[in-house]
């Protein structure tokens, strides 16, 4: 028999996290206004957008 809960189902809304991606190499981060660590090793300073 299937277990059915009698509690009211509530959707817990979590805030959406925004992701920032490096246009050169594709590195993805959730940190805002950061530079890409992969491109920084190659000598490029690229801001994540």
């Amino acid at each position: 028999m299937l277990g059915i809960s009698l509690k009211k189902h509530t959707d817990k809304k979590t805030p959406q996290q925004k992701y920032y991606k490096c246009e050169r190499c594709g590195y993805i981060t959730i940190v805002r206004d950061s530079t890409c660590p992969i491109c920084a090793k190659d000598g490029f300073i690229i801001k994540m957008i």
Side-chain angles (χ1 to χ4, degrees):
M1 192 159 151
L2 294 175
I4 300 173
S5 175
L6 297 177
K7 291 182 180 179
K8 183 179 177 184
H9 178 71
T10 57
D11 280 335
K12 292 183 179 178
K13 303 255 179 176
T14 57
Q16 293 276 341
Q17 282 191 330
K18 188 166 185 173
Y19 294 95
Y20 302 94
K21 182 178 179 183
C22 177
E23 291 295 322
R24 181 174 176 263
C25 68
Y27 178 80
I28 298 173
T29 185
I30 59 171
V31 180
R32 184 179 173 168
D33 293 333
S34 67
T35 57
C36 178
I38 297 170
C39 294
K41 288 182 181 178
D42 293 338
F44 297 99
I45 297 176
I46 299 175
K47 284 290 211 179
M48 308 291 274
I49 56 170

